[in-house]
Amino acid sequence: MIKALQTCLYLSMMLGSLQCNSQADTASASTFNGDRVAQARHLVGEQLKQDLVAKGLKPGAPIFLRAFKSEQQLEVWIQDSAEFRHFRTYPICRVPGLLGPKRKEGDLQVPEGLYWIEVFNPKSSYHLSMGINYPNASDRVLSDPKNPGGEIYIHGNCVSVGCLPITDEKIRELYLLASDAKDAGQQQIPVHIFPCRMTPENRKNLLAPHHPELLPFWDNLSEAYDFFERKKILPTYTIEPGTGTYLLTQ
């Protein structure tokens, strides 16, 4: 009898908890009419603006994103005059696969290369998300010609089969930064994804011993990394037909 009463009490408590959570979710959805962007602006918008101003940066200024798979970091850089200045570094909470580019649907790899944001999804299954233009012209040369994969996003939550999740809390900030830059006129928001910070030490000790076959590809990516490290401006480039090589034009 005691055990049965304990079981009933436990079930009652669980049901009450679910009802409370359901009521809270309903209230939140009602307040913002299901608009997650409006909710994000309510939760973090003012503080984000204050943080930008405190660093002498302009809300709505062009942004640039750099991701490093080994370090599980996503950097946010914001343009100030001609150069970009570092603003935030978000932890990437999960990076599936190994070091190396994505080459096929289902390989669980996060892409590596020079991309940009091509879609904003305010109703994502992962809270908010921004899709990059994978496969780009380089990937279409170097990846599986029939099934290279796609739908690679920076998003909330902490699950991934090839995307870059940074949790719901952090995607709110990043989504606002990116959408505000877009609304202010930034045509393309660049996203450069590297296997690691492309320092000479990492290239020698982390990349070369384990994946020598990828060194030509990584040496090519390093040109864009080194350019930005030196100048703090974005490299312009073309992609060579037939080889998929990034050719810096400045």
Side-chain angles (χ1 to χ4, degrees), residues 149-169:
E151 296 189 355
I152 304 298
Y153 287 83
I154 302 168
H155 60 65
N157 209 308
C158 195
V159 296
S160 174
V161 291
C163 297
L164 296 172
I166 61 171
T167 74
D168 291 358
E169 178 187 3

Side-chain angles (χ1 to χ4, degrees), residues 93-198:
C93 66
R94 174 173 166 74
V95 179
L98 305 171
L99 298 185
K102 183 174 184 63
R103 291 294 179 241
K104 188 176 182 180
E105 174 72 29
D107 63 6
L108 302 182
Q109 288 292 103
V110 174
E112 295 173 6
L114 311 182
Y115 304 98
W116 60 79
I117 293 171
E118 67 173 0
V119 62
F120 288 79
N121 184 2
K123 296 183 179 180
S124 169
S125 298
Y126 304 100
H127 195 54
L128 297 164
S129 65
M130 300 175 292
I132 66 171
N133 66 317
Y134 174 89
N136 65 13
S138 174
D139 299 314
R140 286 194 289 272
V141 172
L142 299 173
S143 299
D144 186 296
K146 293 183 179 179
N147 202 10
E151 296 189 355
I152 304 298
Y153 287 83
I154 302 168
H155 60 65
N157 209 308
C158 195
V159 296
S160 174
V161 291
C163 297
L164 296 172
I166 61 171
T167 74
D168 291 358
E169 178 187 3
K170 302 305 182 186
I171 195 63
R172 292 185 186 114
E173 286 191 355
L174 184 56
Y175 196 97
L176 292 180
L177 288 168
S179 60
D180 287 350
K182 178 177 179 291
D183 290 344
Q186 187 174 10
Q187 297 297 312
Q188 289 185 348
I189 297 174
V191 182
H192 294 183
I193 306 177
F194 300 98
C196 59
R197 295 187 180 276
M198 306 299 276

Side-chain angles (χ1 to χ4, degrees), residues 3-145:
K3 185 175 182 179
L5 287 172
Q6 289 175 333
T7 301
C8 288
L9 179 60
Y10 173 76
L11 291 174
S12 176
M13 292 172 62
M14 289 297 295
L15 181 59
S17 177
L18 289 172
Q19 289 173 336
C20 288
N21 288 337
S22 176
Q23 290 168 358
D25 291 343
T26 301
S28 178
S30 175
T31 301
F32 296 98
N33 297 317
D35 189 335
R36 298 175 191 173
V37 180
Q39 184 183 41
R41 203 167 295 281
H42 171 75
L43 292 172
V44 303
E46 185 57 35
Q47 185 61 56
L48 186 61
K49 180 179 178 181
Q50 292 177 16
D51 292 347
L52 286 164
V53 172
K55 288 193 173 185
L57 297 169
K58 181 181 177 181
I63 72 170
F64 164 51
L65 308 180
R66 290 201 307 181
F68 302 101
K69 290 163 58 172
S70 180
E71 293 85 352
Q72 293 190 210
Q73 293 179 337
L74 177 65
E75 292 181 345
V76 182
W77 294 74
I78 297 181
Q79 192 169 22
D80 180 25
S81 297
E83 297 183 357
F84 282 81
R85 291 171 51 197
H86 179 255
F87 175 61
R88 288 267 204 271
T89 298
Y90 296 116
I92 303 169
C93 66
R94 174 173 166 74
V95 179
L98 305 171
L99 298 185
K102 183 174 184 63
R103 291 294 179 241
K104 188 176 182 180
E105 174 72 29
D107 63 6
L108 302 182
Q109 288 292 103
V110 174
E112 295 173 6
L114 311 182
Y115 304 98
W116 60 79
I117 293 171
E118 67 173 0
V119 62
F120 288 79
N121 184 2
K123 296 183 179 180
S124 169
S125 298
Y126 304 100
H127 195 54
L128 297 164
S129 65
M130 300 175 292
I132 66 171
N133 66 317
Y134 174 89
N136 65 13
S138 174
D139 299 314
R140 286 194 289 272
V141 172
L142 299 173
S143 299
D144 186 296

Side-chain angles (χ1 to χ4, degrees), residues 202-235:
N202 280 346
R203 285 149 71 177
K204 177 181 177 181
N205 300 323
L206 181 61
L207 300 181
H210 302 293
H211 302 282
E213 75 283 1
L214 289 173
L215 284 179
F217 172 74
W218 283 330
D219 285 343
N220 183 219
L221 276 189
S222 293
E223 295 176 22
Y225 174 89
D226 293 340
F227 182 94
F228 184 79
E229 284 293 291
R230 291 194 310 270
K231 299 177 177 289
K232 297 299 183 290
I233 61 174
L234 289 169

